[in-house]
Amino acid sequence: MGFTQHLRARGEDGLAALLVLRPELAAPPPSSVRALAARASGRAATERVLAGLDALTLQTLEATLALAGTAAFPAGPRAADVARAVGADDLAPAVARLLDLALLWTDEWPAPADAPLHPAPGLDDVLGPYPAGLGPTLATTLRRRTPQALERLAVDSALPDAEALVAARGTTADGEPALVGALAAHLGDPATTERLLADAPPGARRVLEALAWGPPVGQAPRPGASPSPARTAVQWLLRHGLLAMSDAQHAVLPREVGLALRGGRTHRAPALPPAHDPATPEPAAVDADGARHAEEAVRLATALVAAWGEQPAAQVRSGGLGVRELHRLAARLGVTDQAAAVVVEVAEAAGLVADDGAEQPALAPTTDADPWLAAPLGERWQTLARAWLASDRATWLVGSRDEGGTARGALDPELRRPWVPRLRAAALDVLATQGALTAEQVLDVLRWRTPRTPPAAHAVTAVLEEATLLGVVGAGALTTAGRALLAGEDAAAALEAQLPATVGEVLLQGDLTGVVPGRPDPDLAELLDLAADVESRSSALTVRFTEASVRRALDAGLTAEDLLARLARHARTGVPQPLEYLVADVGRRHGLLRVGTATSYVRAEDPALLAGLVGDRGLAHLGLFALAPTVLAAQVPATALADALRERGLGPLLEGPDGQVVVAGRTPHRIRPRRGRRAAEPAARNAGEPEAREGRLRKLASDLLVADRRRGDVDDDLDPNDPAGPSLALGLLREAAEEHRPVWLQVVGPDGTASRRRVRPLRVDAGRVRVLDLDREAELTVAVHRIVDVTP
């Protein structure tokens, strides 16, 4: 049985299970099991599946590849043989996983526990010619020798019945000299190696031991070089078959000889999972710390929406947010530039902000921000956390410099990295399974889990810092809400259960400060945001009332009496006299000036209030001129005139054409969200996708077996160029068009180069597909014969 026949023997269920584990084998759909075997043996598919193997499973695969084909295991090693070679007690789980992934196969299916194991075709190309640091097999090195050299080796190595075998000059059914198999079995016996080395010249054992644990190739003595003990030892080893020439300048240690020198081991020690002693913070402390950070993350995102709703942020020419804009935003939010970058990136990933697509693009809140603002705190956090977990943005690169020396900004198009979501999920999974670990310990575990694609240390540290900032991690451990997020469950409810109860009281003090002993309820939070400035946030919220903050509340439509009444309603000990005086004083002066639109105007009952404004050089840009002793007109909008007068310490009010006061609250700027940039949807909405995908793969597995029976394919030849039918690819595109969801489309251009795009299919016709390129926001039509790959 060969690899293709093994895949057929798996049947519909087995093939469907394989395609679920390795979905890349189904895109585009192969036309037969033979084509599937060819694709599974290809370098790209093999590299991809090897990237997800842990270190012990990879050792198991290397050991099987090293033992297969040796004289000791002509039919292939068994699981117990591989475990002894690795030095592990039990490798049954690793072997089972490799069989499920079709990296190993057996002559029977389902595979018996003691079945000989065969490595899948193509593994030696990816893992290299020297698996586990072992050289080529003895049979391979012996085939390079001439018949005369084989005969001399049979005599020199004391092969039993050497004379009879030499005289017979027999061959196998494959036409290979019978001496090759006999010598391979003879020299592959550890007893033969020890017996020969007992009579070897000085230094021979040291030469072999230097090559034993790899690399197995060394420099051979140059012809005509002066005699030396090392030269003599190497020549003796070559003559007795314990070394072989790999080319004119290098000698190689045969695999069986290397195994004999290693005591039958392929690896020095099994690569067991790292054992760390995790910290054990109290679960209540973990959830409390996570809830505090989660609430702060929601507050920062809310403040971002408010800031850009008032004044959209200009984008730089190359896309993204400039360094100055980011620094200005960080100052307004009261956080570091890096924390502000995380807030911006997460808000954009959640669909709360986007560029407006104008000729001079700016970043502004989308219409999706309004329902988000109205949602409960837990749901708002869940939207942000899910968006962060699924985002492919390497936020930690903000502020670093690219190859040209230019600083990378937030939302820079070049910050996309397709492996980032996998790294975030993997790092959180380590915390979920092993407890509170440091970044170095998490990195250690991840390097064991994926030794062929280990993550960078700075990336792991940054991911954990972002998770802490968002409240997914608290006190170094995964929170209850974080576990729900990782599992795709209702993280909003989990967070709501972690949040402390709200309080509706504030302790107002005579120094114009106030302290909220806990989390303020919505009404109190709105009042304090309106009338006070935050001084500190910790277990208690401390605010300060100033003339500017009180004026802000009055500008929003409150009167001094209303403000004092609302404060009194929440003040546990009443409103102190200094705060009453402050509110009353600001209220007396507030609204004495009235600003309207002429372009705009300012009027007052008292002409003295307007005296000097026209001639003030600092207000020259307003274009003020007198219309009457109590009325001045300006050549700027009313809001700009009011802002300038406020900067002078005056307290103007806006009024309409009828003279009625207009509340100064501005209509927040909103834009339509870009398609394909929507906020992360709840997992329940996509709950049916895995079942639908599994159904498609099962249908493909059935079609492959039917096609093989129809075509009468019984051979085991692999044809990597076997054409794949486009039926499943077109089916995926039609489903995506009906459901208005994006897919990854890989196409081949006229010049033969392949490109991969994130698109939303619009219409699938016979022979062509019309799609919307989500990154470029442009429609294009693709011929079906140019489509290489379609993945959800």
Side-chain angles (χ1 to χ4, degrees), residues 558-750:
L558 291 178
T559 65
E561 293 75 14
D562 293 338
L563 179 56
L564 288 172
R566 290 187 64 179
L567 287 172
R569 208 160 49 240
H570 291 283
R572 178 184 297 180
T573 57
V575 179
Q577 194 174 59
L579 181 56
E580 287 184 349
Y581 285 168
L582 175 65
V583 173
D585 182 58
V586 174
R588 275 194 303 271
R589 292 182 285 114
H590 191 261
L592 295 179
L593 298 182
R594 301 298 179 96
V595 173
T597 302
T599 301
S600 62
Y601 65 88
V602 55
R603 68 180 182 86
E605 299 296 334
D606 185 358
L609 290 174
L610 303 180
L613 293 182
V614 175
D616 191 333
R617 294 183 178 180
L619 300 176
H621 65 285
L622 302 177
L624 292 171
F625 58 94
L627 296 178
T630 57
V631 181
L632 299 180
Q635 299 180 7
V636 294
T639 54
L641 175 58
D643 289 343
L645 294 176
R646 290 190 185 104
E647 290 178 1
R648 290 287 170 152
L650 302 172
L653 275 177
L654 288 170
E655 68 179 12
D658 57 357
Q660 297 298 314
V661 174
V662 176
V663 176
R666 302 177 182 178
T667 301
H669 192 88
R670 293 290 186 268
I671 60 174
R672 290 183 178 274
R674 294 176 60 184
R675 300 193 176 207
R677 299 274 188 178
R678 296 179 181 176
E681 296 183 353
R685 187 146 172 198
N686 301 323
E689 287 190 6
E691 290 77 4
R693 181 169 60 250
E694 189 171 337
R696 287 196 299 267
L697 295 177
R698 178 173 289 277
K699 176 67 165 56
L700 174 59
S702 175
D703 292 345
L704 292 177
L705 294 171
V706 170
D708 269 18
R709 288 193 292 268
R710 185 182 300 121
R711 292 167 52 177
D713 279 351
V714 294
D715 59 89
D716 200 37
D717 295 331
L718 297 183
D719 182 9
N721 298 316
D722 197 3
S727 58
L728 186 61
L730 290 177
L732 289 171
L733 290 170
R734 288 192 180 95
E735 289 179 9
E738 292 173 359
E739 298 171 10
H740 305 287
R741 56 180 172 82
V743 296
W744 285 103
L745 183 68
Q746 186 173 356
V747 297
V748 176

Side-chain angles (χ1 to χ4, degrees), residues 9-191:
R10 288 185 175 223
E12 181 179 321
D13 292 342
L15 285 181
L18 173 62
L19 295 175
V20 169
L21 293 174
R22 300 178 63 179
E24 72 278 3
L25 300 181
S31 60
S32 64
V33 176
R34 182 175 47 170
L36 175 66
R39 185 173 299 169
S41 307
R43 187 176 187 89
T46 304
E47 286 276 15
R48 181 166 181 172
V49 69
L50 289 181
L53 298 185
D54 62 66
L56 185 59
T57 306
L58 194 60
Q59 279 187 343
T60 304
L61 186 60
E62 289 177 338
T64 307
L65 184 60
L67 297 178
T70 60
F73 304 103
R78 291 170 167 77
D81 302 323
V82 177
R84 281 193 297 271
V86 174
D89 295 332
D90 182 22
L91 290 180
V95 170
R97 185 182 181 196
L98 293 170
L99 288 170
D100 290 341
L101 293 170
L103 291 171
L104 295 179
W105 60 277
T106 59
D107 296 322
E108 302 178 58
W109 189 264
D114 60 344
L117 302 172
H118 309 291
L123 278 175
D124 50 352
D125 291 336
V126 177
L127 294 178
Y130 307 132
L134 292 164
T137 62
L138 274 167
T140 302
T141 63
L142 292 171
R143 293 186 187 106
R144 299 172 185 163
R145 295 181 180 245
T146 64
Q148 295 77 14
L150 289 175
E151 294 172 2
R152 288 195 299 270
L153 177 59
V155 175
D156 292 339
S157 65
L159 174 68
D161 299 325
E163 294 182 2
L165 288 169
V166 170
R169 296 182 182 275
T171 59
T172 65
D174 298 330
E176 183 176 89
L179 272 177
V180 170
L183 283 169
H186 174 60
L187 294 173
D189 186 353

Side-chain angles (χ1 to χ4, degrees), residues 240-266:
H240 288 78
L242 299 182
L243 282 182
M245 293 299 296
S246 59
D247 56 44
Q249 297 180 345
H250 297 90
V252 64
L253 180 69
R255 185 172 301 176
E256 290 89 337
V257 178
L259 284 169
L261 294 169
R262 295 182 181 187
R265 298 283 290 273
T266 55

